[in-house]
Amino acid sequence: DTEVTQTPKHLVMGMTNKKSLKCEQHMGHRAMYWYKQKAKKPPELMFVYSYEKLSINESVPSRFSPECPNSSLLNLHLHALQPEDSALYLCASSQEILRVYEQYFGPGTRLTVT
Amino acid sequence: GQQLNQSPQSMFIQEGEDVSMNCTSSSIFNTWLWYKQDPGEGPVLLIALYKAGELTSNGRLTAQFGITRKDSFLNISASIPSDVGIYFCAGYANAGGTSYGKLTFGQGTILTVHP
């Protein structure tokens, strides 16, 4: 089973709202990722967690706050977003950070900031 | 930073035709991955390549890891309408340090298949 699930599928939020995106995998993977993707562009890495610790932050604005409660779950907390943050947010997982060969992506959350 | 040049940017083909796309880089990569993304969905891993010269098939898909480790290609034979989507190559350099965990993506090839 190579499934990564994400909720919600769609999210519309105002610039003053606080919301969270959720990601779950049950493949026993120890590395999890958040990506941002604009239409017809490749995914852009935001954060990497390895063994539940933040390993990489690609200079993402603080209005995005990741959290890894356990090895199966990854959250992305959103606060005071801007319209330009509207995008498809993808979660991915892989066996571990040193064997990142195969990253498996979830279906994504389509975020619209109004 | 590392970059992958993926071509062509888009392709318009007739059903039944074969398709070829490739990625090149000025840097060496240790792993090549090919993904397909349908509209509104996440990328789906098609093929993973780990060794220079490796040729791997997955149904009608065939991909190769270039001997120089700086390129890879993906072929789709006898295309069908459900092959429509965006195809991304991705490479992992395993350069250590801050490169761990980072895939470099190509810009994507948009494939349209006319019935």
Side-chain angles (χ1 to χ4, degrees):
Chain A
D1 184 11
T2 56
E3 187 178 64
V4 176
T5 60
Q6 290 187 244
T7 56
K9 181 73 171 173
H10 301 277
L11 179 63
V12 179
M13 61 185 291
M15 290 189 284
T16 59
N17 292 158
K18 287 185 180 180
K19 296 287 184 183
S20 297
L21 309 184
K22 298 186 183 301
C23 173
E24 189 168 9
Q25 58 89 11
H26 293 290
M27 295 177 278
H29 288 173
R30 303 313 299 267
M32 297 185 76
Y33 312 77
W34 279 116
Y35 288 86
K36 173 183 178 180
Q37 187 180 31
K38 292 285 196 178
K40 298 185 179 179
K41 296 293 185 182
E44 299 173 27
L45 184 64
M46 299 174 71
F47 303 103
V48 181
Y49 273 82
S50 176
Y51 290 87
E52 300 161 48
K53 294 191 187 306
L54 184 64
S55 176
I56 296 175
N57 176 343
E58 290 286 89
S59 302
V60 178
S62 60
R63 58 186 184 267
F64 295 91
S65 175
E67 178 196 20
C68 190
N70 60 55
S71 60
S72 300
L73 294 174
L74 187 65
N75 298 323
L76 185 63
H77 302 298
L78 314 173
H79 173 56
L81 295 192
Q82 303 297 310
E84 59 264 30
D85 296 322
S86 298
L88 182 67
Y89 286 85
L90 295 163
C91 173
S93 71
S94 66
Q95 276 191 330
E96 59 178 358
I97 196 171
L98 295 183
R99 289 179 57 83
V100 79
Y101 309 146
E102 298 177 19
Q103 284 191 25
Y104 296 93
F105 285 84
T109 293
R110 172 70 60 190
L111 174 67
T112 303
V113 181
T114 60
Chain B
Q2 295 155 338
Q3 286 187 324
L4 289 181
N5 298 309
Q6 186 171 350
S7 64
Q9 289 186 338
S10 61
M11 301 183 74
F12 298 84
I13 63 170
Q14 291 292 129
E15 183 177 359
E17 290 183 0
D18 296 343
V19 172
S20 184
M21 59 191 79
N22 68 84
C23 273
T24 60
S25 173
S26 58
S27 306
I28 288 175
F29 285 85
N30 295 317
T31 300
W32 287 91
L33 306 173
W34 284 92
Y35 289 90
K36 182 197 176 195
Q37 187 170 23
D38 292 330
E41 298 294 329
V44 173
L45 182 63
L46 299 173
I47 290 179
L49 302 159
Y50 305 116
K51 296 180 183 178
E54 180 180 359
L55 184 70
T56 297
S57 294
N58 178 5
R60 293 179 296 106
L61 308 177
T62 302
Q64 185 159 29
F65 191 145
I67 287 290
T68 64
R69 298 164 75 187
K70 294 182 179 180
D71 63 327
S72 176
F73 72 75
L74 174 71
N75 286 343
I76 306 172
S77 63
S79 59
I80 59 178
S82 62
D83 290 333
V84 165
I86 304 179
Y87 291 79
F88 291 103
C89 64
Y92 182 55
N94 195 22
T98 57
S99 293
Y100 282 130
K102 293 186 181 181
L103 282 178
T104 301
F105 283 86
Q107 291 302 303
T109 295
I110 301 172
L111 179 63
T112 303
V113 180
H114 295 290

